Amino acid sequence: MRAFEISEFGTTPKLVTKETPEPQPGEVQVAIKACGLNHADLLMIEGRYQEKPPLPITLGMEIAGTITKLGANVDGLSVGDRVAAVPGSGGLADMACISAERCVPLPDSITDVEAAAFQIAYGTSHLALSHRADLRKGETLLVLGAAGGVGLTAVELGARLGARVIACARGADKLEVAKAAGAHDVLDSDAPDLRDRLKAMGGVDVVYDAVGDPLFTSSMKACKPGARILVIGFAAGQVPQIPANYLLVKNITVHGLYWGGYLGFDPKALTTSLSDLLNMHTAGDLHPHVSHTLALENAAEGLALLRDRKSTGKVVIVP
């Protein structure tokens, strides 16, 4: 089979040919139909991601595909089932062996490409907004990086939850994408005086930040008393240094949200969230946005789109 992998951290990934793996007890072998790319794939290449599988690493964190073999002691799944999964790595390949516990059967209403674009992005925003920030109807939600993979889902879900959504992204084209996803107001992230513009709009109750500084600091200073800030990631490359005295004076709460971490301490929260999201999709309430669908041999191009921030929504690789 083919696999897109790195042999050392900091090196350029390559498409290689290797033996097709056989499922171990508790695993299923999956023919991968689609794999969603994430900013975390870029961090894994550099060795800066919080999880480091043993080298060599086949990249690709979330997949959709069809089960082709069952390992021993697997119940509730069958050969031929369509499933989605977040194995954490191994998705940019023709085949993968994945823990059966991580596989979710897919309804006919969702395509493989949609499912591969769905799990981490929507799961992150759903847990962040509903579970962590307790976003309420009528509140003002600011989404930074609003046209990106997770940001766009935050816009869509925030609007569905009844919030007034302010989308912040770079350039008119991306702001139009955010508007189409449900944003009520849009701001260009390259324009000056973000703090003053947000204050003039009445301030912010919840900040959803997948970008990092300097936008984090400007947004924090536009928060209303009692606001909640969601730290999702640092796509801009700068980790904010948060002045605790500012949090104290304005009674601001900062929540970190690492979606994959829930697999270790509260997996039920993930499965419940994903079930709710799939029901929303089946009802026609969610619309995954995929700006680029590329072949496996073009996976490097897909990663470059993420690195250069030239995509909107998700980039999906289709082996």
Side-chain angles (χ1 to χ4, degrees):
M1 70 170 196
R2 299 171 302 160
F4 191 69
E5 67 175 34
I6 56 170
S7 55
E8 296 290 341
F9 293 119
T11 60
T12 301
K14 295 180 180 180
L15 190 63
V16 302
T17 301
K18 58 195 303 183
E19 292 294 323
T20 301
E22 292 294 320
Q24 300 301 304
E27 293 183 338
V28 294
Q29 184 191 73
V30 177
I32 296 172
K33 303 299 183 182
C35 176
L37 297 185
N38 293 275
H39 184 72
D41 290 306
L42 300 175
L43 297 178
M44 188 171 288
I45 292 170
E46 297 167 3
R48 296 195 295 122
Y49 191 57
Q50 50 261 42
E51 296 180 9
K52 293 183 180 180
L55 292 163
I57 300 170
T58 298
L59 301 169
M61 295 187 166
E62 59 182 330
I63 64 97
T66 303
I67 294 176
T68 49
K69 287 184 182 180
L70 303 177
N73 305 319
V74 172
D75 297 316
L77 295 171
S78 303
V79 171
D81 284 353
R82 294 178 62 238
V83 295
V86 181
S89 61
L92 287 175
D94 293 311
M95 309 285 289
C97 289
I98 300 168
S99 170
E101 293 182 347
R102 296 199 177 191
C103 293
V104 178
L106 290 175
D108 293 338
S109 58
I110 192 167
T111 67
D112 292 322
V113 169
E114 288 178 317
F118 193 85
Q119 300 164 87
I120 293 176
Y122 278 101
T124 295
S125 293
H126 189 249
L127 275 182
L129 297 176
S130 299
H131 187 64
R132 298 290 277 169
D134 189 26
L135 178 67
R136 295 181 286 272
K137 185 176 181 179
E139 290 190 313
T140 297
L141 167 67
L142 171 66
V143 181
L144 304 178
V150 292
L152 201 59
T153 63
V155 170
E156 189 176 6
L157 287 169
R160 190 180 185 279
L161 290 168
R164 174 199 180 192
V165 181
I166 302 174
C168 184
R170 179 181 294 167
D173 291 346
K174 290 186 176 182
L175 293 176
E176 284 300 318
V177 170
K179 278 186 182 179
H184 301 87
D185 299 285
V186 295
L187 293 172
D188 194 310
S189 59
D190 283 341
D193 303 321
L194 177 62
R195 178 191 64 178
D196 294 339
R197 287 180 291 153
L198 290 169
K199 283 188 172 183
M201 298 170 78
V204 179
D205 296 296
V206 176
V207 177
Y208 182 102
D209 180 21
V211 178
D213 255 349
L215 296 183
F216 176 96
T217 300
S218 297
S219 302
M220 180 185 65
K221 291 180 179 179
C223 281
K224 299 177 184 179
R228 292 87 74 200
I229 300 175
L230 294 159
V231 177
I232 306 299
F234 316 108
Q238 299 181 52
V239 178
Q241 303 303 304
I242 303 171
N245 63 313
Y246 200 87
L247 305 181
L248 182 151
V249 170
K250 297 193 74 173
N251 288 288
I252 294 172
T253 304
V254 179
H255 297 279
L257 195 287
Y258 166 40
W259 185 86
Y262 276 78
L263 290 167
F265 71 88
D266 192 4
K268 186 177 179 181
L270 290 188
T271 56
T272 300
S273 172
L274 185 55
S275 177
D276 290 345
L277 289 165
L278 286 172
N279 288 336
M280 291 180 207
H281 182 276
T282 299
D285 294 333
L286 300 179
H287 307 280
H289 177 86
V290 177
S291 64
H292 296 80
T293 303
L294 302 169
L296 182 59
E297 53 267 30
N298 296 324
E301 178 185 339
L303 291 171
L305 288 168
L306 292 189
R307 184 181 299 110
D308 298 336
R309 300 171 73 175
K310 292 183 177 179
S311 61
T312 56
K314 294 285 285 190
V315 176
V316 175
I317 304 301
V318 181

